[in-house]
Amino acid sequence: MRPGIRASAGDEQITISVAIVGSGPAGFYTAEALLRSDADVAIDIVERLPTPFGLIRAGVAPDHEKTRNVSRSYAATAAEDAVRFFGNVEVGKDVTIAELQEMYDAVVLAVGAPKDRKLGIPGEDKGNVFGSADFVGWYNGHPDFRNLDPDLNIDAVAVIGVGNVAIDIARILVRTGGRLDQTDIADHAKAAVTSASITDVYLFGRRGPVEAKFTNVELREMGALTLADPVVDADQIPAEVTGDWSDRDRRLRERNLATLREFAARPRGQKPKQVHFVFCAAPVEILGGDTVTGLRLERTRVESGRAVGTGETFDVSCGLVIPAIGYASHPIPGVPFNADRGRIECQDGRVAPGLYAVGWAKRGPTGVIGTNKPDGKQAAAQILEDIAAGSKPGRDALEAALAAKGVRWVSWEDWQKIDAAEQRAAQDGSPRRKFTTIAEMISILD
Ligand code: FAD
Ligand code: NAP
């Protein structure tokens, strides 16, 4: 039987109706795994934005165009008969989890981890301090952050954290206008970055270079920028990787140390901007009045893999602070939540009967795009193990509920119109010119 076509055996409904909440990688990998099974499923992907793909659109750096190509395979999944997209529908606001559970045999939470973790130090609420989720959302044209308006007419920026998100942010801040022209960075961000007066970007790691979370390809990219030199103090780079690492992790860390050594040996001052890698420095206070003017850090040493404060502090002048220290999920009413770990409480993805979690909402905010694939496969297997045959109305009930509430949902065909309009609006060399407000997106449809 063709998937998604309702069938009945006597009075029994066979098609299993599944609502997937969130259209990022984890949501799409779940849909793909369900489609690949032999089961008869109807899959509805419910997304709060009119645009699909989660962090592939709103997180991945605009100058990493090839990474975004993964969305082509998600688009192929969305085009399957058994799949429907309900964009511009926020679960928790337009429809509740309890309502979805009434309507669908299975509900999968693939809502990601869109909130910034807090540093918990004084001064975090000052002007021109923005968490990485907000700042990245701003340059990637996420409607929630359209009006963030960071002031980049400053000399120095402090990025806290030495993961790949911190590297992405540092790199975007020192890209040339010509390179940004080839990307789909939001217009407002391109204008701000290209007219910025920033000369120094600091990346602060609270532990040493061995413990840094960035990967080597991303680190090496920092050595090949047109406008900026990477700056590292050779004294901060240990001679060898110490600590309890797997062979693979040890090799990766040795590669990072080799790259940092090569950076440290370079002549300085060759380019107009500098990206400084500073290790063993933990932030203790963000300085200034209403607006940030500096950052106070405590020197640390690493003991058994942990940062231990030495009591010695130093200050760095900067007009913008961006903590890039990780993410957390939003609690959803009616769904058990682990506030300490910032993710949905579940047992291997099972939240409650008929309710599942995948991706960052399940595991927390770590892992690359492909890390979400096994989650999708596992959730699909669990659903098919738990539910032999469908008994709930699914799509028809959701459409009726949204119509009754006057929600203007965005179908896949609608998204394709938005997508085409963005591509038509692109200037030479850029893949698309993003709409950055929901109103603009809906206006081209209605
Ligand atoms: P998400 O991608 O966040 O998707 C969640 C979706 O759920 C979103 O579309 C959101 O709008 C939707 N949603 C949330 N709440 C609701 C609700 N209440 N109702 C309906 N919908 C909702 N990995 C790489 O491999 N390469 C990279 O270059 C890379 N760059 C990254 C850059 C950044 C800044 C970040 C933060 C991560 C990056 N990653 C990268 C990691 C990768 O993006 C994640 O592993 C992946 O996106 C997690 O997928 P997810 O589906 O769990 O969450
Ligand atoms: P991450 O890799 O976990 O890095 C977070 C950084 O913040 C770490 O250096 C961490 O230090 C630091 N940190 C955390 N709490 C801190 C605190 N209170 N004070 C000071 N520093 C603190 O997270 P991420 O950079 O957000 O990336 C999330 C995931 O997305 C990762 O798996 C990443 O690989 C992936 N990603 C991939 C790419 C890519 O492939 N190009 C790009 C972006 C993101 P400690 O280690 O000491 O905790």
Side-chain angles (χ1 to χ4, degrees):
M1 182 182 312
R2 241 173 74 214
I5 306 299
R6 296 223 174 278
S8 55
D11 287 331
E12 198 184 349
Q13 186 179 313
I14 293 172
T15 304
I16 299 172
S17 57
V18 182
I20 297 175
V21 185
S23 68
F28 270 107
Y29 289 132
T30 307
E32 189 188 300
L34 284 165
L35 289 173
R36 285 199 178 156
S37 73
D38 291 336
D40 180 22
V41 286
I43 303 164
D44 294 342
I45 300 179
V46 183
E47 165 60 52
R48 68 178 281 258
L49 294 176
T51 55
F53 309 138
L55 287 170
I56 304 305
R57 179 178 164 103
V60 169
D63 59 341
H64 280 181
E65 296 88 348
K66 286 194 183 135
T67 306
R68 297 197 169 176
N69 289 342
V70 70
S71 61
R72 292 182 192 158
S73 77
Y74 305 158
T77 296
E80 293 276 344
D81 284 346
V83 181
R84 290 280 185 288
F85 180 69
F86 290 86
N88 204 30
V89 178
E90 183 167 343
V91 172
K93 182 176 142 245
D94 299 316
V95 60
T96 66
I97 285 290
E99 287 170 329
L100 285 181
Q101 286 178 291
E102 288 278 305
M103 296 170 191
Y104 288 86
D105 298 307
V107 176
V108 181
L109 300 166
V111 292
K115 242 173 44 163
D116 277 302
R117 281 189 50 223
K118 290 286 174 197
L119 275 170
I121 61 173
E124 216 171 347
D125 54 352
K126 291 191 189 305
N128 239 25
V129 178
F130 303 104
S132 56
D134 297 13
F135 194 78
V136 168
W138 171 75
Y139 66 59
N140 271 329
H142 190 301
D144 287 359
F145 308 107
R146 169 73 184 80
N147 298 318
L148 199 72
D149 202 21
D151 180 5
L152 304 189
N153 287 316
I154 44 149
D155 298 335
V157 182
V159 180
I160 299 172
V162 281
N164 280 331
V165 171
I167 290 241
D168 277 351
I169 291 168
R171 192 181 66 248
I172 291 297
L173 283 172
V174 298
R175 276 292 192 199
T176 63
R179 180 66 185 89
L180 293 178
D181 281 343
Q182 297 159 21
T183 74
D184 63 6
I185 189 169
D187 284 353
H188 53 250
K190 186 163 75 178
V193 171
T194 50
S195 65
S197 52
I198 296 166
T199 53
D200 294 272
V201 179
Y202 294 88
L203 287 160
F204 290 111
R206 63 178 167 180
R207 299 188 289 160
V210 170
E211 290 79 22
K213 297 264 176 66
F214 45 62
T215 40
N216 193 248
V217 173
E218 281 65 29
L219 179 61
R220 276 188 283 133
E221 207 177 349
M222 301 306 280
L225 298 171
T226 305
L227 287 182
D229 278 319
V231 176
V232 194
D233 182 349
D235 291 346
Q236 286 215 305
I237 310 168
E240 57 181 25
V241 174
T242 52
D244 195 13
W245 305 103
S246 67
D247 288 349
R248 181 176 172 275
D249 277 349
R250 182 176 298 276
R251 273 197 308 277
L252 294 174
R253 279 147 221 283
E254 279 165 356
R255 251 179 252 156
N256 279 351
L257 293 191
T259 304
L260 289 168
R261 264 183 225 115
E262 190 265 310
F263 288 174
R266 290 187 187 193
R268 295 189 183 180
Q270 306 291 298
K271 295 179 183 167
K273 298 175 194 271
Q274 303 195 309
V275 177
H276 308 257
F277 291 82
V278 183
F279 298 98
C280 292
V284 289
E285 185 176 354
I286 296 172
L287 307 172
D290 290 344
T291 301
V292 55
T293 55
L295 179 66
R296 179 158 300 153
L297 300 113
E298 180 179 13
R299 293 197 196 283
T300 64
R301 58 175 178 271
V302 181
E303 283 177 13
S304 307
R306 298 174 70 87
V308 178
T310 61
E312 185 193 341
T313 60
F314 65 101
D315 294 352
V316 172
S317 292
C318 57
L320 171 65
V321 172
I322 306 173
I325 60 164
Y327 294 73
S329 288
H330 282 296
I332 303 175
V335 176
F337 189 70
N338 183 327
D340 289 340
R341 307 184 80 170
R343 58 170 174 69
I344 290 167
E345 192 65 68
C346 62
Q347 276 295 330
D348 231 7
R350 284 190 169 95
V351 181
L355 188 62
Y356 307 83
V358 290
W360 279 21
K362 166 195 171 190
R363 285 181 287 106
T366 59
V368 292
I369 296 163
T371 318
N372 301 291
K373 202 165 193 172
D375 283 352
K377 283 187 183 166
Q378 186 189 45
Q382 289 170 339
I383 290 169
L384 301 180
E385 193 182 307
D386 296 350
I387 304 163
S391 62
K392 298 190 182 174
R395 185 169 301 158
D396 294 345
L398 179 62
E399 286 188 358
L402 295 177
K405 292 180 188 182
V407 177
R408 198 302 178 205
W409 77 86
V410 167
S411 65
W412 192 254
E413 293 68 33
D414 288 337
W415 151 244
Q416 287 174 314
K417 287 180 195 157
I418 296 171
D419 186 25
E422 287 190 339
Q423 293 186 43
R424 273 197 308 276
Q427 308 286 325
D428 287 346
S430 159
R432 68 178 62 241
R433 183 164 181 236
K434 281 179 177 173
F435 294 116
T436 56
T437 66
I438 292 176
E440 283 173 307
M441 297 178 199
I442 301 297
S443 75
I444 68 140
L445 302 175
D446 294 338

